[in-house]
Amino acid sequence: GSLERRRCLYLHTGRACCQMMEVLLAALILVCSSVSSGSPGGYTGLPALGGIYYYQYGGAYSGFSGADGERAQQLDQHFYLLKLPIARTAMAVGGCLLVIPCVLILVGVLRVPWHFPAWLLIECTLNIVVAVGTVPALYYFFHSLLSIYNSSVCKEREQLYQSKGYQGFSCSLHGAEIAAGLLGCMAAMAYVLSAGLAVRDYRTVHEQEKKPLQL
């Protein structure tokens, strides 16, 4: 009845809209982080589809033969293992950024701030901590990736694939990684905005508590 309508009204507030935007950004960060990790199998061309061609020419590394093919596979696996920790860390951070706004939306729908206004100050503090913590997290993300791309493994892998005419194996930031960084910046700004809205709503609730007749 009326209680359910009041709860649904929260989803139309500016704070709820900002939190739903945070959920969307976190989901996109998760997707970009998973894409950035790649696969342990390395390059997969038409032979990976199977059939006689696959078994005759040695699988996914159709452009390589003998020692070059084995070396390409080793470099791919080593490169994948180098990127795996930072990719998992980014996915973990994206998961945390996804959980936090979901919890805050649930708290708002249950109208906890109206019964316990101090929660809004806690929410504001949490948003500020997340926004500030995103800055060193982004620095660590890009610093780790650049160190991997500057490693001897990546350079040798790039040269080996280029010698066979393959493109897309350059030692530079990829689109998904750049997108994850931009989404992280947008998420930080969204949390700052949420903190400001939480302070505004706290003032509103505090003023209404002084006017019980209007409530």
Side-chain angles (χ1 to χ4, degrees):
S2 61
L3 178 59
E4 292 181 356
R5 288 195 296 270
R6 287 198 299 269
R7 288 177 176 177
C8 291
L9 285 176
Y10 173 75
L11 299 178
H12 297 280
T13 62
R15 203 165 88 252
C17 292
C18 196
Q19 290 165 352
M20 287 186 284
M21 179 61 67
E22 293 165 5
V23 171
L24 176 61
L25 292 173
L28 293 175
I29 290 173
L30 274 174
V31 173
C32 292
S33 300
S34 63
V35 171
S36 173
S37 63
S39 62
Y43 173 76
T44 53
L46 291 176
L49 298 177
I52 298 176
Y53 190 80
Y54 178 89
Y55 295 102
Q56 182 176 359
Y57 292 96
Y61 301 91
S62 59
F64 300 91
S65 61
D68 286 342
E70 295 179 359
R71 184 55 181 166
Q73 188 173 12
Q74 293 174 359
L75 290 172
D76 280 338
Q77 293 176 349
H78 195 179
F79 183 70
Y80 169 78
L81 293 176
L82 286 177
K83 292 187 69 177
L84 187 59
I86 183 61
R88 286 182 174 177
T89 302
M91 293 176 67
V93 172
C96 293
L97 294 177
L98 182 63
V99 171
I100 292 174
C102 289
V103 173
L104 295 180
I105 290 174
L106 178 61
V107 170
V109 170
L110 296 177
R111 297 180 63 81
V112 172
W114 291 97
H115 303 288
F116 182 58
W119 168 261
L120 291 170
L121 297 180
I122 298 175
E123 183 176 322
C124 174
T125 303
L126 178 61
N127 288 327
I128 293 175
V129 169
V130 174
V132 173
T134 303
V135 177
L138 288 173
Y139 172 79
Y140 170 76
F141 177 71
F142 285 111
H143 178 74
S144 300
L145 285 177
L146 291 176
S147 63
I148 293 172
Y149 287 132
N150 290 327
S151 64
S152 59
V153 174
C154 184
K155 298 296 184 181
E156 182 180 354
R157 177 175 177 266
E158 179 184 18
Q159 293 175 359
L160 184 58
Y161 275 108
Q162 285 182 350
S163 66
K164 302 299 181 180
Y166 292 120
Q167 304 297 326
F169 298 91
S170 60
C171 294
S172 59
L173 294 174
H174 297 171
E177 296 160 351
I178 297 174
L182 294 176
L183 290 169
C185 295
M186 295 173 63
M189 291 186 290
Y191 275 98
V192 172
L193 180 58
S194 290
L197 293 175
V199 173
R200 185 202 64 180
D201 291 347
Y202 174 78
R203 291 177 178 175
T204 301
V205 174
H206 188 65
E207 291 176 358
Q208 290 183 349
E209 284 183 341
K210 297 180 179 179
K211 302 176 182 180
L213 292 180
Q214 293 184 8
L215 289 175

